[in-house]
Amino acid sequence: MLELRTLGGLELRRAGDGPSAPVALQTKRLVLLAHLTSAPSAGFRRRDSVLALFWPDLDQEHARGALRQALHTLRSTLGEGVIRARGESEIGVDGSMLQWDAQQMAVALEAGQHAAALALYRGEFLDGVFVAGASPELEEWVAGERTRLRQLAARAAWGVVEKAAGRAEVGDAVRHAVRLSGADESALRRGITLLDRQGDHAGAIALYEEFAQRMARDLEAEPSTETRAMIASLRSHVAPAVAEKTTPEVSEVIPPAGEVPCEPTPPARSRRLTIAVAVLGIAALTIVALRLSPDAKRPGESNVVAVAPFQLSGADTLHAWMQEGMVDLLTIRLAGSGGLKLADAATMISSWRRNASHESGVDPMESARRLATGAGAGWVVAGSVAGSADRVILSASLQAVASSRTVARASAEGPADSLPALVDRLAVQLLGGGAGLDDDRLASLTSASFPAIRAYLDGRAAFRRGRRDQALIQFRKALSLDSNFALAGLELARVAAWAGTEEDTRLGTQRALAGRQRLGASDRAYLDAWAATSHDASELFQVWNAAVTAQPNRAETWYSLGDIYFHVGALAGIEDALVRAEAAFRQGWRLDSAASAGVLDEPFVAEPVEHMIQLAHLRRDTAEVRRLVALVIAADSSSSLAHALGWHQAMLAGTAAGNESRRRIETADQRGVMLLSLFITWTGEGVSDFPRAFEADRRWLALHDPGYAEFALTVYALTRGRPSEVPAGAMRPERRPRAAQRAWLRYALWWDGDTTGTTAVIRALESHADKAPVTADEEREKVLDLCAIGLWHAMQGDYPSAQGAGRELGSARLSGLVEDDFMRVANHATLCAALIDATVATGLGSPDSRAKVLVADSLARHLIFTMAEPPRLPETNLVLARLWEAQGDLPLALAAVRRRGSSFLEAPYFITTFLREEGRLAALTGDTASAIRAYRHYLGLRYDPEPGLVPEVERVRGELTTLTRPKAASN
């Protein structure tokens, strides 16, 4: 038995009774062994993926030779049985002949042996190990494993904490657990609470100081307001309210900064949670982070706010009127903001006057709470007035009546004749604190006008209740009231990314960038990530992973990272993209839930709830869908989001709920219908509702601008197999610009479109391409024309014409383009030329054809996001699938078609073609279940094809019958 140690270094030993010398192997070969050992439960990794990780700079032939030599050395050193092969394309390790410390740790942890699991964690995964000549992707894999294993170690450490006995043992275990939890402040607060309850106040303070120093050193940041308040309260020997909160479950592991690992999986299940697993519903990701915050609103804490008369604190007698006057002034300022209801000011003053004579000796805050209780309010504003004849000092706090929780404090000081401005400042601080804004963001509000701030806070409240359209209106209003309101611009851009338009995104980003210096440090960092230009997939993911690393406690960065994984991860070839997306969403929601504890508009709905419900639906987690939909309904049952998302719940409820799912579609608003239609089209879930969703969407499309309506109806027509229903204006080449001509060719070639007139279109494009470009726009158009021409000829087998177009693409002059446009056009030319080159080489049987296909495949996964124009090159993965199949590599062909042609749940270009090819290739590779799903999905979308496409649809139906017949016979 061999023992591979990867925690705290890298070493291979022969396991036995006594000590043994390490097995001598080169570092790269040991890392290769670790990589193979960590393969999914199936136990194999693809040779091509191993080549790309370990020998990225070698051509295909030399890389394969290096791998063969490495495997030969491993077999010679370890014994023949350790390294396994499955066919010619996969390699793995026999787990029965090799022990791996990381796996042993996971097994011990799942068995509840926390101390044993923690003892195995001798340090970071491959600590201090460097692999010369490896790819960045290998470094990313190592980083991901480090995060995953550090999380497991943290989970084990918290398990040890639970079983620790005695103050000293608890202290040691807590310190270890908090260090392993990285920058997770909830873990820090949990540790402080545990030490405080043990009576180890000094240890709790020391734990905080160590954490704060680490944050300052590594992140140039300080702990949150909540944590600082907690430790300040501890230092003053007053038990902080936060110490009484319920702490997270021991089994709950929060991802450290900068990483989005998969949820640890029990040994009985596969460790590899891929997209396929998510779609099949096998993954058992329990989203514990989506529970309502421990500080969720308690019974009786309504959103009614009462403003109590202020106390006089040495104020000049000229200000005595402000005791009652502040009730009127603040009630007017606060009323209606963020959905608040204010108790009647006159009633509060009258009640105070009646009871004032009985309140002598009563704590002012207690008196204020009694007044609020009598008014039926769940919250109370109490404050004081101090100062002199010419100067006023105002202070106030916002408290929950039932629990005495203080969620906001405010103060303002200035000349007595500036009282309206002082009251505005006080109201902004109270409203902002009540809305969950931290000190950094509150400071950013001071430069804006009060009406604009009110609109901004109303927008935040609407967004967190799922009222996305209303939020957009309020943020636009805030910017119209104050064009320099950078924070409102940033929020407008963020909301528009989830539910708005490109115009909103541009406007918000422009205003935020213009006022960047008025933003707090955290918002500036988020804006910089938001506005960063990415020229390939690596840069895109790097920007947001860096943002998460820099701002580990900011929910919005996790949401943005998750959204990128959700939409474009699969297109980038990330197999577990949906799992990573869900992990990022969960982390963001966990942070959001903690940050919003006690805010006035709970329960809130975080941005990604729509995607969270979609992901839960894909894995058939009915209970999770029901729970998340209930959160949306609790926040605002009349919102379009609540109505549309209810369809997912109805679909999973079984066939008896068919009427309910149909009702949801037929009564949904415009955006709701679009969401449901896209989900059905992309995933095949509820595909029997596709005809109904199409008809409902067609009614709404009549209200759209002609351009979008033509595009959407074109997609519907080609998806349904009815090319004659493509709107005439959308596909008439002689009447449309060259973009439509290129689309004509694309649809004819890849989507069963109308092939009549393609010859004339090619000639027209070639005529334009022969002309020397004069302007930058002409340069861009020439590149796009050459790409369309070259791919068309390559697919038709006209290789000389294709090569000519490819050569021109390679030498295209782009001197007139600005930097960002230059990169996009250059990327378009690079990828298209590679596709043409690989197609020609494969068609001609060139010896280097496979290497050229590999290059094109790699470029596709990196560049397809940053191309010159929508729809980029959506046919890319269909071209690659054909090429890989011609190369005899069906698994890579299948992987290409599963990446699809555009971003997940966005425009479903060529969806039926992809499904038809996926079904065929899956059947050829023996993946019958996937083939059946793909074919059923295809037939559900092409439920009523035109006569010319009936034979193709019937052929697919026949293949499906063949695949399912053995199953039917066995029953």
Side-chain angles (χ1 to χ4, degrees), residues 404-546:
S404 302
R405 288 178 302 141
T406 299
V407 297
R409 297 185 186 278
S411 62
E413 179 179 357
D417 59 4
S418 66
L419 183 62
L422 297 179
V423 174
D424 282 353
R425 281 164 52 189
L426 204 69
V428 166
Q429 293 174 61
L430 292 171
L431 288 170
L437 298 185
D438 55 26
D439 293 341
D440 196 32
R441 195 167 292 180
L442 277 174
S444 301
L445 294 179
T446 57
S447 61
S449 68
F450 185 73
I453 292 170
R454 283 276 299 268
Y456 165 80
L457 293 172
D458 287 346
R460 277 182 59 88
F463 191 34
R464 295 171 78 81
R465 291 195 304 272
R467 285 282 187 180
R468 295 171 173 179
D469 293 340
Q470 186 63 31
L472 290 169
I473 292 171
Q474 291 300 325
F475 290 132
R476 291 189 204 112
K477 179 181 177 182
L479 287 175
S480 68
L481 292 168
D482 189 340
S483 61
N484 296 318
F485 195 172
L487 194 56
L490 183 60
E491 289 291 315
L492 176 63
R494 186 166 69 92
V495 176
W498 295 92
T501 64
E502 290 185 7
E503 182 180 353
D504 286 324
T505 303
R506 281 195 299 270
L507 173 63
T509 304
Q510 288 170 358
R511 297 291 175 84
L513 287 171
R516 181 181 180 279
Q517 294 307 314
R518 291 188 292 275
L519 296 172
S522 177
D523 284 314
R524 286 199 301 272
Y526 181 79
L527 173 62
D528 291 345
W530 177 266
T533 299
S534 301
H535 295 131
D536 58 40
S538 297
E539 288 186 10
L540 179 66
F541 289 105
Q542 182 180 357
V543 163
W544 283 105
N545 274 298

Side-chain angles (χ1 to χ4, degrees), residues 531-536 539 776 779-780 814-828 866-868:
T533 299
S534 301
H535 295 131
D536 58 40
E539 288 186 10
E779 290 178 2
R780 181 189 305 104
L814 307 176
S815 57
L817 301 175
V818 297
E819 181 180 359
D820 186 41
D821 201 18
F822 172 86
M823 290 303 303
R824 292 180 179 277
V825 176
N827 286 349
H828 199 106
T866 51
M867 308 294 283

Side-chain angles (χ1 to χ4, degrees), residues 4-11 101 122-129:
L4 181 63
R5 296 183 179 182
T6 58
L7 298 173
L10 180 60
E11 189 177 76
D101 56 354
R122 294 177 289 271
E124 293 252 299
F125 178 68
L126 299 187
D127 190 23
V129 175

Side-chain angles (χ1 to χ4, degrees), residues 2 73 100 111 130 141 234 246 278 391 449 522 525 672 695 697 749 757:
L2 296 160
T73 302
W100 180 35
F130 173 75
W141 171 76
L234 178 62
T246 304
R391 194 160 188 83
S449 68
S522 177
E695 292 297 337
D697 202 12
L749 187 60

Side-chain angles (χ1 to χ4, degrees), residues 731 737-748 761 765 780-789 828 869-870 875:
M731 295 298 292
R738 277 142 60 193
Q741 294 176 323
R742 294 190 292 266
W744 179 284
L745 293 180
R746 183 175 284 128
Y747 297 154
V761 171
L765 290 176
R780 181 189 305 104
E781 286 293 300
K782 181 168 183 174
V783 166
L784 303 179
D785 288 345
L786 286 170
C787 178
I789 293 165
H828 199 106
E869 68 167 1
E875 65 268 43

Side-chain angles (χ1 to χ4, degrees), residues 105-125:
M105 184 179 74
V107 171
L109 181 60
E110 294 301 330
Q113 299 169 359
H114 300 103
L118 190 58
L120 285 163
Y121 190 79
R122 294 177 289 271
E124 293 252 299
F125 178 68

Side-chain angles (χ1 to χ4, degrees), residues 103 119 137 197 297 466 522 773 943:
Q103 185 181 44
E137 287 78 9
R197 287 175 178 171
K297 192 174 299 163
S522 177
Y943 58 92

